[in-house]
Amino acid sequence: MPALPRSEWYDLTRDMNWDLTYVTEDQAFPPALSNSFGVPAEDWWTWDEPYKIAYTEYVHNQAGKDQGLFSVNNVVSRSSIFENLDPGWKAAILAHYGAIAVAEYQASIGEARMARFGRAAAWRNMATYGTLDEMRHGQLQTYFPYQALNKEPRLDWAHKAYHTNEWGIIAARHVFDDMFTANDAVSTAIQLTFTFETGFTNLQFLGMAADAMKVGDLDFGALISSIQTDEARHAQQGEPTLKVLVKAGKTDTAQNLLDKMFWRAWKLFSLLTGLSMDYYTPIEHRTHSFKEFMEEFINKQFIDQFRDFGLEKPWYWDQLLNEMNWVHHAYHLGVYFWRPTVWWNPVAGTGPEERAWLEEKYPGWNDSFGKYWDVMGDNVRAGRPELTLPETFPIVCNSCQIPVCTPAGYAAGYLDSPLPYQLVRDGRKYTFCSEPCQWVFEQTPEQFAGHLSIIDRLLGGIIQPPTIEGALAYMGLSPEECGVDGNDYAWATATASKTA
Amino acid sequence: MAVTTRKPPKTWSLLGEVRRRPSVYEATAAKFNYHFRREPAPFEMDPTAAINQWYLEHREGSPFNVEDWEGFRDPAKLTYSDYVSTQHDRETYLDLLIDHHEAAGSIAKLDKAWVDTLTALLVPLRFPLHVLQMTGLYVAQMAPSAFIINCSNFQAADEMRRIQRLAYLTRLLANEHGDTIAATDTAREPWQSGEAWQPLREVSERMLGVYDWGEAFVLLDLLLKPALDSVVNDSLASLAVANGDEFLALMLSEFQRDTARHQAWATALVQYAVEQDPALVDVIRGWMASWEPLVDAAVAGLADLFEAAAVPLSAADVREAAAQARERVLSAAIQ
Ligand SMILES: [Fe+2]
Ligand SMILES: [Fe+2]
Ligand SMILES: [Zn+2]
C-alpha cells in the first residue's frame, strides 16, 4: 500500500476553487441549477465534508460490496425463496421496486448536479461518488427484479413505472423531481441529502431490511442494506452545506428548505413505508409499527441532528404527530379500495390477529378504521366483493398528489373538519390534503401552479374516456396488471386461531 | 393468492418483442431517462418552471439531436459493477507502482531542475482537470439517454482518479523537496494569473458557461479533453522519460487507458448520431470551428512550459502532438 495516509494528501484534491474572471459567477453557476442564496463564493470554499474517502478506497470497497451482493443474488435466484414469499411481502417489494428503482437512478442526476454546480471542489468530489452510488442503486434495483421477471411479471414495473402516469408514480415523480432531478445544487444538498437521506431513507432501507431478513427475503435484505451503506456516506453532503448556510446567516433559508421537503417526504413515506410496515409485512415478522419507526428514527435521531445546527422542528410538528396516528391507515384503505389502480396486489392485512395488533399499536383503530373493514368484510362474505371496488374517483391533493383523506381523519377523531384546504390563485382552484401541503405549494407557486393533478387531467378532458377504465388505461395499467386482493379475500373469512 | 397467468416475459415490456434477452448492461440502462421528450414537460412540475425550461432549451432543444438516442451503446458496455471492478484492478496496479517507487526512493532522487518543472507544469494541473470532471458531469446530467449518461459519469470519475493520484505525487514531491510544492497557492497562483495558464483557464471557464448539452459534449470530448489529455498523458510522459522520471511516465500512461475508453465512447456517440442524421456533421464542425482557436491557445500556453525543462521538449512538438490527438479523435468520429 502506498505509504502516505489519505489525510496527508487528500486536501490537495479538494482545493480547486478560484476566482472566475472570463465568465461571471452566474454564468458558471446559474441560479436555476445552483442557488447560492446570496452566500459569497469564498464562503462556500470552506465546505468541509465530515467523512472523506479516496477514489482508490471507493472502487476497492464498492467492488467488494457488489461481489458479495451478486453472489447472494446468484444463489437466491436459483432457489425458490421468491416463489415462497408471503403475498403481503411481495406487495411491499413490488411497491418498493416500482417507486424506488428508477427514481434512484434519477438521484444520480441530482448528485451530478451537485458534482457540477456544487460551490466547492470538495463538495463536487463527494457528489461525484454520490453520482456513481445512485447509478449503482438504480442498476441494482432493476437488475434484481430483472432476474426474477420470469417468476413475477409485475416486476416489470421496476422498469416501467416512471414512464407511466399511474397516480402513485405521479406523486413520486412530483416529490422526487422537486427534491433532486429538477432541483438546484444547494437545495438538493439540504433536501435530498440532509432531509431525505439522513432522515427518511433510514426508515425505508434499514426498517425494510430488518423486516426482509425476518421474512426470509435474503435477496432484498442484502440489497437494500448494501445500498444503505452508500446512502449513509453520501448523505453527509447535507451537513457541511447546512453549516455554510447557517454561518452566512441563512438559517431561515435552510429551515425553509428543510421544512418543505420534510413534509413532502413524510407524505410519500406514509404511503409507501406506512403500508408496507403496518399491513403488508406478515405480522409475525414485524419489528416495529410504522409509528414506532417514525418516532425512533425521525422524531428522536433526526431532530437531534438538525438541532445541532441551530435548526428547529418544522412549524407543523403537531400536525405531523397527528397524522402519524391515522394518515397511513387512511391511505391503506384507499389503496386497497382502489387496488386496480396500483401495480401490486395489496393485501388487506386485517385478519383477526392483525386487527388486534393494530389496536394495540394504534389504540382506537377498531372503532375508527376497523369499521370500514367490517363493511368490506361483510360484502366479501355476502359474496359481493365487487362492492369493495371503486366506481368513482377521489379528490387528489395539488401538492402531494395523493388522494385527500380528510374525511377519514375527521371520522377517526383526528381532524376538526372533513373538508380539504382550498386556494384560489389566478382563477384556478387548488385543493390540498393538509395545511402543510398548501404551505409547501405557496412557498414556490411558480414551480407548481401550472401542474395538473391526475384529477385535474380527468376533469380537464385529458384522460379519455373519463371513466375508471379510461383512467386505468391512462395510468398504464393493462387489465391483467391491475391490482387484485393479494390473498384472495382470505382476511375476510379468517378466524382468530393463533392468538384466540 | 391471485396467480398471474401470463407467459413469463423475456425482458422489460418497454423494450418490446425481442428475440434475444437483452444483456444486464442493456436491461439496467435502456429507457431509464424517462423524462427526455416527456410531455408536457420533462419534470412533474409546472411546465414553465425554470428547470423544465432549462432542459427543454438545452437538451430537447439542442441542435445535436436525433430521433432516437436509445440505440447508442458504450463500446465498453460498462455497468456500474463492471466499472468499479475494472478500476479496482487498475488502482491495484497503481498502488503497486507507487509501492515500487516509494521503496526505490525515486522521488528523492529527482533533481532540482526537474522538480521545478513539475512544480510549474504538473502541480497546477488539478485545476483544469477538475473542470474536465465538472463538465463531464454536466454532459451526463443533460444527456438524453442513460447509455450516454453512464459513459460521461464514469469519465468524470476517472478525471477525479487522475487528480487524486497527481495530488498524491504532489505531496510526495513536497515531502522530499519542499513543503510549498503542496501549498494551494503553488497550484492556484499560476492557474489564476500565470501567463502560460491563462488561455487554458479562459477556455475552461468559458466551457463552464456552455449549456447546450451537445455543444458541451463537443467542446469537452472532441476538443479540449483530447488536447489536454495529449499534453498531460502523452507529452508530459515523454518529458518525464527524457528527464529520467520513469515513475511519472508510467503513472501517466495508466491514465491514457482511461482516456482511450473515453475517446471510444465519444467517437461512438458521434458515429451513432451522424448515422442517424448526416447533417449533424455540420453542427459539430460549426462548434469545433468556433472553439478551436481557444483550445489551440490553451495548448500553446502549456507547450511553452515544456521548453523550460532541463531536457526540453519543443513547444511545437507538444502543440503538434495535441493537434494530432484531436485529429485522431475527430477522424475516428467522422469518417
Ligand atoms: Fe440511493
Ligand atoms: Fe442517495
Ligand atoms: Zn397533500
Side-chain angles (χ1 to χ4, degrees):
Chain A
M1 286 296 287
L4 303 182
R6 184 194 340 106
S7 58
E8 278 197 39
W9 58 270
Y10 194 69
D11 278 349
L12 276 80
T13 72
R14 47 195 300 288
D15 65 352
M16 293 84 83
N17 304 305
W18 74 99
D19 296 319
L20 298 160
T21 61
Y22 296 100
V23 294
T24 65
E25 188 78 13
D26 273 4
Q27 279 172 317
F29 295 92
L33 301 187
S34 183
N35 192 341
S36 71
F37 294 102
V39 178
E42 298 209 8
D43 288 9
W44 287 107
W45 299 355
T46 63
W47 196 99
D48 186 14
E49 67 278 25
Y51 182 89
K52 296 176 174 64
I53 185 169
Y55 176 91
T56 189
E57 298 167 277
Y58 180 84
V59 293
H60 293 327
N61 293 347
Q62 298 301 99
K65 282 200 247 176
D66 268 8
Q67 202 177 22
L69 201 52
F70 284 115
S71 55
V72 171
N73 179 256
N74 196 15
V75 172
V76 170
S77 60
R78 281 179 294 160
S79 73
S80 54
I81 289 181
F82 186 86
E83 289 90 326
N84 294 328
L85 290 175
D86 177 89
W89 182 253
K90 271 194 189 168
I93 63 174
L94 280 165
H96 172 96
Y97 280 133
I100 301 295
V102 168
E104 290 244 41
Y105 186 79
Q106 300 307 318
S108 80
I109 291 181
E111 291 283 343
R113 186 146 315 117
M114 294 191 288
R116 161 62 183 86
F117 295 103
R119 288 168 169 268
W123 179 6
R124 295 189 289 265
N125 289 339
M126 290 310 286
T128 302
Y129 299 123
T131 304
L132 297 180
D133 288 340
E134 298 299 7
M135 217 170 151
R136 171 177 193 247
H137 304 168
Q139 291 185 351
L140 285 174
Q141 287 175 103
T142 43
Y143 174 78
F144 277 47
Y146 191 63
Q147 295 302 93
L149 202 51
N150 57 342
K151 297 174 179 174
E152 175 49 83
R154 284 173 194 276
L155 287 169
D156 194 36
W157 280 72
H159 181 253
K160 157 182 170 175
Y162 278 79
H163 282 270
T164 74
N165 282 311
E166 195 277 340
W167 68 270
I169 293 299
I170 292 177
R173 267 200 308 260
H174 196 275
V175 58
F176 288 147
D177 286 352
D178 188 23
M179 188 191 304
F180 48 81
T181 325
N183 202 0
D184 78 274
V186 174
S187 302
T188 302
I190 303 300
Q191 299 192 306
L192 168 65
T193 70
F194 188 74
T195 309
F196 188 71
E197 291 174 340
T198 312
F200 283 89
T201 58
N202 268 330
L203 195 66
Q204 175 77 0
F205 284 79
L206 288 184
M208 291 283 287
D211 286 350
M213 289 311 191
K214 287 199 147 193
V215 169
D217 190 351
L218 304 178
D219 213 27
F220 192 72
L223 171 65
I224 63 177
S225 45
S226 179
I227 287 174
Q228 185 57 29
T229 60
D230 300 335
E231 298 294 341
R233 170 170 35 72
H234 67 236
Q236 296 183 50
Q237 294 170 82
E239 185 184 310
T241 309
L242 197 54
K243 279 186 178 158
V244 170
L245 285 172
V246 168
K247 200 170 158 223
K250 305 287 175 184
T251 307
D252 290 351
T253 299
Q255 183 82 51
N256 180 265
L257 290 167
L258 171 85
D259 289 359
K260 283 187 289 186
M261 198 48 70
F262 192 91
W263 184 259
R264 303 215 60 187
W266 155 248
K267 297 308 285 187
L268 186 72
F269 269 66
S270 56
L271 178 63
L272 185 66
T273 320
L275 273 54
S276 297
M277 285 190 171
D278 283 359
Y279 291 95
Y280 294 167
T281 300
I283 184 170
E284 63 273 25
H285 300 310
R286 291 180 197 166
T287 44
H288 295 282
S289 71
F290 178 57
K291 186 181 170 186
E292 287 163 347
F293 256 106
M294 279 297 294
E295 281 170 346
E296 177 60 27
F297 277 110
I298 304 291
N299 293 5
K300 291 207 188 100
Q301 299 180 13
F302 190 49
I303 282 190
D304 284 349
Q305 275 188 308
F306 58 71
R307 282 215 173 119
D308 291 347
F309 301 105
L311 298 184
E312 289 302 322
K313 286 189 295 199
W315 61 269
Y316 47 72
W317 203 251
D318 289 345
Q319 300 185 49
L320 173 73
L321 296 180
N322 179 294
E323 281 207 358
M324 276 165 52
N325 294 305
W326 66 273
V327 86
H328 68 292
H329 299 308
Y331 288 168
H332 175 57
L333 259 176
V335 166
Y336 182 81
F337 186 65
W338 274 281
R339 57 194 175 281
T341 69
V342 296
W343 63 88
W344 64 92
N345 290 332
V347 297
T350 52
E353 283 98 13
E354 285 97 338
R355 291 180 67 138
W357 183 89
L358 286 160
E359 181 65 31
E360 183 205 324
K361 300 291 184 186
Y362 301 89
W365 185 92
N366 268 315
D367 282 341
S368 51
F369 292 97
K371 281 193 268 177
Y372 301 99
W373 292 98
D374 293 340
V375 175
M376 284 201 278
D378 288 345
N379 285 326
V380 171
R381 287 186 291 272
R384 304 285 305 277
E386 70 278 9
L387 292 178
T388 69
L389 285 164
E391 287 175 345
T392 56
F393 299 98
I395 305 170
V396 164
C397 175
N398 280 113
S399 184
C400 67
Q401 310 295 317
I402 298 172
V404 173
C405 293
T406 45
Y410 174 73
Y414 289 106
L415 298 178
D416 296 334
S417 161
L419 298 176
Y421 290 77
Q422 291 196 318
L423 170 76
V424 176
R425 187 181 179 277
D426 292 340
R428 183 177 157 196
K429 190 163 81 183
Y430 298 89
T431 302
F432 303 99
C433 70
S434 57
E435 191 191 355
C437 265
Q438 175 168 346
W439 177 81
V440 166
F441 179 95
E442 291 182 299
Q443 295 306 295
T444 52
E446 66 284 2
Q447 189 150 336
F448 304 124
H451 179 264
L452 299 176
S453 75
I454 190 161
I455 298 301
D456 296 329
R457 297 175 207 185
L458 194 82
L459 300 176
I462 294 172
I463 300 175
Q464 290 294 343
T467 59
I468 296 277
E469 289 69 30
L472 291 172
Y474 178 79
M475 287 191 268
L477 287 150
S478 65
E480 64 266 26
E481 284 174 316
C482 291
V484 297
D485 185 304
N487 266 322
D488 268 337
Y489 302 109
W491 61 276
T493 52
T495 49
S497 53
K498 278 180 262 175
T499 53
Chain B
M1 75 167 269
V3 177
T4 314
T5 50
R6 280 171 291 160
K7 190 167 131 234
K10 244 197 204 133
T11 186
W12 305 126
S13 62
L14 292 181
L15 305 193
E17 284 297 317
V18 290
R19 257 174 295 149
R20 167 187 72 83
R21 181 173 155 94
S23 65
V24 172
Y25 163 70
E26 288 168 321
T28 59
K31 302 208 170 171
F32 271 35
N33 213 34
Y34 66 84
H35 41 74
F36 178 59
R37 291 184 185 142
R38 189 174 168 273
E39 292 293 340
F43 304 114
E44 193 76 48
M45 46 179 57
D46 192 321
T48 65
I51 200 153
N52 264 327
Q53 293 302 311
W54 185 279
Y55 271 77
L56 286 171
E57 180 183 352
H58 300 298
R59 184 179 67 178
E60 277 83 337
S62 171
F64 189 60
N65 250 315
V66 297
E67 195 127 318
D68 176 22
W69 284 112
E70 284 291 324
F72 167 75
R73 294 290 179 273
D74 172 9
K77 293 194 164 40
L78 292 180
T79 62
Y80 171 91
S81 203
D82 299 333
Y83 174 76
V84 290
S85 96
T86 305
Q87 295 302 72
H88 161 68
D89 291 345
R90 298 317 307 167
E91 284 290 288
T92 303
Y93 162 75
L94 276 185
D95 281 350
L96 292 170
L97 179 72
I98 292 172
D99 286 348
H100 172 78
H101 285 280
E102 283 181 337
S106 306
I107 295 286
K109 289 179 200 152
L110 299 176
D111 63 43
K112 178 164 185 326
W114 178 240
V115 171
D116 288 346
T117 299
L118 290 178
T119 306
L121 183 47
L122 177 97
V123 170
L125 275 175
R126 64 182 185 267
F127 282 81
L129 296 181
H130 183 62
V131 177
L132 301 186
Q133 177 186 341
M134 292 167 77
T135 308
L137 289 154
Y138 182 71
V139 170
Q141 71 192 271
M142 296 300 292
S145 98
F147 292 113
I148 305 170
I149 293 174
N150 294 350
C151 291
S152 203
N153 279 336
F154 294 144
Q155 174 178 312
D158 294 335
E159 305 293 5
M160 186 167 73
R161 174 192 191 214
R162 179 163 57 172
I163 290 165
Q164 292 193 3
R165 291 299 188 171
L166 295 181
Y168 188 93
L169 199 64
T170 302
R171 173 46 72 187
L172 286 180
L173 285 167
N175 288 355
E176 297 294 343
H177 301 278
D179 212 35
T180 56
I181 294 172
T184 292
D185 277 346
T186 303
R188 186 154 57 198
E189 276 298 318
W191 172 246
Q192 189 82 62
S193 49
E195 201 187 329
W197 293 88
Q198 296 319 294
L200 178 56
R201 185 165 68 86
E202 177 172 2
V203 71
S204 300
E205 288 187 10
R206 292 195 189 284
M207 183 165 72
L208 292 177
V210 172
Y211 291 119
D212 182 284
W213 92 272
E215 186 174 5
F217 163 73
V218 167
L219 172 53
L220 175 69
D221 290 294
L222 301 187
L223 270 173
L224 185 56
K225 189 173 145 56
L228 196 53
D229 284 351
S230 162
V231 173
V232 176
N233 297 346
D234 191 14
S235 293
L236 185 53
S238 304
L239 192 71
V241 170
N243 287 273
D245 188 351
E246 180 200 322
F247 181 20
L248 177 61
L250 286 172
M251 187 181 278
L252 293 173
S253 66
E254 170 63 21
F255 302 138
Q256 191 56 32
R257 294 175 69 106
D258 291 341
T259 291
R261 177 159 42 75
H262 307 154
Q263 292 181 354
W265 81 259
T267 55
L269 182 64
V270 173
Q271 284 165 5
Y272 177 82
V274 168
E275 226 168 76
Q276 310 283 303
D277 180 4
L280 288 178
V281 170
D282 294 336
V283 172
I284 294 168
R285 288 200 189 279
W287 280 325
M288 297 201 50
S290 72
W291 286 101
E292 254 161 6
L294 282 182
V295 173
D296 286 342
V299 170
L302 294 192
D304 290 343
L305 297 173
F306 283 74
E307 295 200 330
V311 183
L313 209 63
S314 84
D317 285 352
V318 174
R319 289 197 304 267
E320 179 60 22
Q324 277 179 11
R326 282 213 279 113
E327 190 47 43
R328 270 198 306 278
V329 172
L330 186 65
S331 61
I334 303 174
Q335 273 94 0

